[in-house]
Amino acid sequence: MTSQDDVLPPQPPVAPVPPPAPLPPAAAAGRYAGFETAMEQLADGLLRERRSERRWRIFFRIVWVAVVLAGLWALFVQRVQHAAPTGPHTALVEVRGEIAAEAEASAENINAALKSAFEDANAQAVVLRINSPGGSPVQAGIVYDEIRRLKARHGKKVYAVVEEVCASGAYYIAVAADEVYVDKASIVGSIGVLMDGFGFTGTMEKLGVERRLITAGENKGMLDPFSPLSERQRAYAQAMIDQIHQQFIAVVKEGRGARLKETPETFSGLFWNGEESIRLGLADHTGTLDFVAREVVKAEEVIDYTPKENVAERLVKRFGASIGEGAAKALRTIGPLR
């Protein structure tokens, strides 16, 4: 019987692997020097990044503090201006632009100015300087009611001075004044109410678009521009704006009284120039703000009580709009200043 040792030839012995020769001292020093240089560069880069982050944190915090201080300064200056002692004067309240809840000529802004003007003992009378095409009948009605309330409480005269336009809701406010002054070329009137919109049902049919509107309540989708308007819904909407129109007419008749020379077109929604509006009894005289203050009120100095958005407030709003909520969240995540 033959063994494996008899078949395989004898193997030569394996020579041991010699250990790597040590680097010369100069080469070892060079390798360690390169490693230290790389670590120093890494540490230097991290340090610069930390410094940059710290500078940006400081910058944003300074900016936000500046914004807050600017807002507080704006409010302080506005209050100081209104609270500043003055002699006898004519109080001015502006009604400018669209009359709407979020607009400059909102009932909130106008009524706040009116209240300050009436409560100032040195204000001899209040002048509404109007340059507005109208707007919300609700906002106009709130201002009208407040003018009548303040007049009854404080016993001061109110004059409306029309510049370019006093139409629709703006005229609704103007008739609360004791007298209305216009320029001969001013636009006055438009005593009416409208409700507008668009209908796209025919266009949708041509394009093959189906409107899928699901409502709870048969009239919940009323006036939806993508659904047909039934005659019943049209009649309801017409009755509603007719009722608001009658409210407008009643206010004009109450405010103008016997001075109003009513014609079939007075409440038709037409408008007239200032000269014609005087003839129709919609206005009383021609005159400017300075004329009314000097010749009618007999207090030539005019103090404006209208809330104004000054430079600081505009900067605050623009900055806030540009930065937005995302930046605010980012700043909150920065952590404490170190």
Side-chain angles (χ1 to χ4, degrees):
M1 189 171 182
T2 305
S3 67
Q4 187 176 3
D5 295 335
D6 297 332
V7 176
L8 296 177
Q11 299 296 321
V14 178
V17 178
L23 291 174
R31 174 178 293 185
Y32 287 121
F35 177 76
E36 290 176 356
T37 302
M39 291 301 295
E40 287 177 358
Q41 291 175 349
L42 178 61
D44 187 57
L46 291 173
L47 183 60
R48 283 198 301 268
E49 184 178 352
R50 294 287 293 179
R51 286 175 178 173
S52 177
E53 290 178 357
R54 187 167 181 267
R55 290 193 192 101
W56 279 113
R57 283 200 301 268
I58 295 172
F59 169 76
F60 278 114
R61 289 177 180 180
I62 290 174
V63 168
W64 278 109
V65 169
V67 169
V68 172
L69 291 177
L72 294 175
W73 174 80
L75 295 174
F76 174 76
V77 169
Q78 179 176 307
R79 291 183 179 180
V80 168
Q81 287 177 344
H82 282 179
T86 58
H89 62 269
T90 298
L92 171 64
V93 176
E94 300 271 12
V95 181
R96 191 170 298 275
E98 182 188 6
I99 301 168
E102 300 300 327
E104 182 180 348
S106 66
E108 180 181 6
N109 288 341
I110 296 172
N111 286 352
L114 287 168
K115 188 172 183 293
S116 298
F118 272 95
E119 291 178 351
D120 193 329
N122 289 316
Q124 305 302 295
V126 179
V127 173
L128 296 166
R129 183 161 61 180
I130 301 175
N131 188 7
S132 169
S136 165
V138 174
Q139 296 289 304
I142 293 172
V143 175
Y144 175 88
D145 292 340
E146 182 67 1
I147 292 172
R148 292 183 62 85
R149 184 187 75 83
L150 291 170
K151 281 170 59 178
R153 181 174 181 177
H154 297 279
K156 292 182 180 180
K157 292 281 189 179
V158 178
Y159 302 97
V161 174
V162 179
E163 289 188 333
E164 303 289 340
V165 182
C166 179
S168 193
Y171 189 71
Y172 194 122
I173 292 173
V175 297
D178 295 283
E179 292 181 349
V180 179
Y181 288 79
V182 298
D183 183 87
K184 58 183 180 295
S186 299
I187 300 300
V188 181
S190 188
I191 304 170
V193 183
L194 63 83
M195 178 185 293
D196 60 352
F198 296 93
F200 300 99
T201 52
T203 304
M204 293 171 63
E205 290 175 1
K206 291 179 181 179
L207 295 175
V209 179
E210 178 188 0
R211 171 63 165 166
R212 295 175 178 173
L213 177 66
I214 302 173
T215 65
E218 59 179 322
N219 293 309
K220 186 61 180 177
M222 178 178 170
L223 302 180
D224 174 62
F226 302 102
S227 302
L229 182 65
S230 69
E231 287 302 319
R232 178 173 174 272
Q233 292 174 342
R234 183 187 298 275
Y236 181 87
Q238 185 64 55
M240 182 175 63
I241 65 172
D242 285 343
Q243 188 176 22
I244 298 173
H245 189 207
Q246 290 302 315
Q247 296 169 0
F248 195 171
I249 293 171
V251 165
V252 173
K253 288 183 175 180
E254 181 182 28
R256 299 303 297 166
R259 293 170 292 180
L260 183 65
K261 300 175 179 61
E262 186 177 343
T263 70
E265 294 182 335
T266 301
F267 304 117
S268 68
L270 280 178
F271 48 86
W272 299 269
N273 61 38
E275 185 177 4
E276 188 67 10
S277 70
I278 294 174
R279 190 183 69 79
L280 294 172
L282 297 172
D284 298 289
H285 311 284
T286 58
T288 63
L289 169 63
D290 291 336
F291 172 83
V292 172
R294 183 179 62 252
E295 305 297 335
V296 181
V297 183
K298 307 298 182 182
E300 193 167 354
E301 182 184 7
V302 177
I303 303 296
D304 190 355
Y305 286 76
T306 313
K308 288 292 191 298
E309 188 178 78
N310 57 33
V311 176
E313 289 174 314
R314 285 197 296 271
L315 287 174
V316 170
K317 288 186 178 180
R318 289 180 182 178
F319 181 82
S322 62
I323 296 297
E325 187 178 354
K329 289 181 179 178
L331 290 174
R332 285 196 294 268
T333 62
I334 286 177
L337 182 65
R338 293 188 296 273

